Amino acid sequence: MPSIITHAAVPLALWCAADRGRIPPRLLVAGVIAAMLPDADVLAFALHIPYADAFGHRGASHSLLFAGVLAALAAAFAFFGSGRPWSAVSCQPRLAPTKAGPTVASTVQAAVFVFVCAASHPLLDAMTTGGLGVALAWPWSEHRFFAPWRPIRVSPFAPQFFSARGVATLLSELRWVWLPLAGAVVAWKLIQPAPAASRDPS
């Protein structure tokens, strides 16, 4: 796996690329949690569940179904769990909340954002140089998938993280995850049309 810190890169990049206020803070937090949560399955080692088991590391929690479940929970919370939807008010009036409650658009926005963040986790894991692949298609298939291109060094587990191998992993992630995402955000911002200047009515 990439380190747990690097899995937060995707939601942070989406937040930076979005219009100001489009992704409010609590939706960003939900996205970061969704991007990191699949690695909670490392508890399987403590429970003596084999790595290759469906509920072992990189198994069911790394599936697209798991990402879909998290997205559904985000949508339910956005729609039923709060009087305020997870969309911005000032910058995106079409997604603005009303006194009647959250809009369908804001609920869909929360679900899509959380799904993308959660699905980014197994996709990044599939690009690493070690471990087993990811069970993207669980429960329909327990096959472990790897990407055709695997440039990211696999992260050691916690006891070895603060070692030369851990430093090499962080440098690999900086090169293949953080810098490309930062470049994509900057490029996206540069190609966006500038906001129309407000005209003085006088």
Side-chain angles (χ1 to χ4, degrees):
M1 62 180 178
S3 64
I4 194 70
I5 299 171
T6 291
H7 281 300
V10 171
L12 290 173
L14 292 173
W15 176 74
C16 290
D19 294 336
R20 185 178 179 183
R22 181 66 181 261
I23 300 173
R26 56 182 178 163
L27 181 54
L28 173 62
V29 170
V32 169
I33 292 172
M36 295 178 171
L37 190 59
D39 274 344
D41 66 5
V42 295
L43 293 173
F45 293 116
L47 297 174
H48 305 291
I49 297 174
Y51 194 164
D53 189 86
F55 293 97
H57 184 47
R58 290 189 173 185
S61 68
H62 286 59
S63 66
L64 294 180
L65 176 64
F66 184 78
V69 169
L70 294 183
L73 291 174
F77 184 82
F79 197 80
F80 298 110
S82 173
R84 294 173 55 201
W86 288 354
S87 58
V89 178
S90 58
C91 296
Q92 298 293 333
R94 64 188 177 86
L95 298 179
T98 66
K99 293 182 179 180
T103 64
V104 172
S106 68
T107 304
V108 171
Q109 174 186 336
V112 170
F113 180 73
V114 169
F115 178 83
V116 170
C117 294
S120 72
H121 184 118
L123 295 179
L124 284 176
D125 278 3
M127 296 175 65
T128 58
T129 57
L132 295 182
V134 292
L136 280 175
W138 183 89
W140 298 278
S141 171
E142 293 188 14
H143 178 74
R144 298 294 186 98
F145 294 89
F146 268 121
W149 185 51
R150 298 162 57 188
I152 306 171
R153 285 183 64 100
V154 69
S155 175
F157 291 107
Q160 298 178 314
F161 189 75
F162 297 100
S163 64
R165 183 182 168 194
V167 171
T169 298
L170 290 176
L171 291 175
S172 173
E173 293 172 358
L174 178 65
R175 177 183 181 185
W176 296 111
V177 181
W178 290 98
L179 289 179
L181 285 175
V185 169
V186 171
W188 176 255
K189 289 294 188 181
L190 289 176
I191 65 174
Q192 294 304 295
S198 59
R199 297 183 179 178
D200 188 345
S202 62

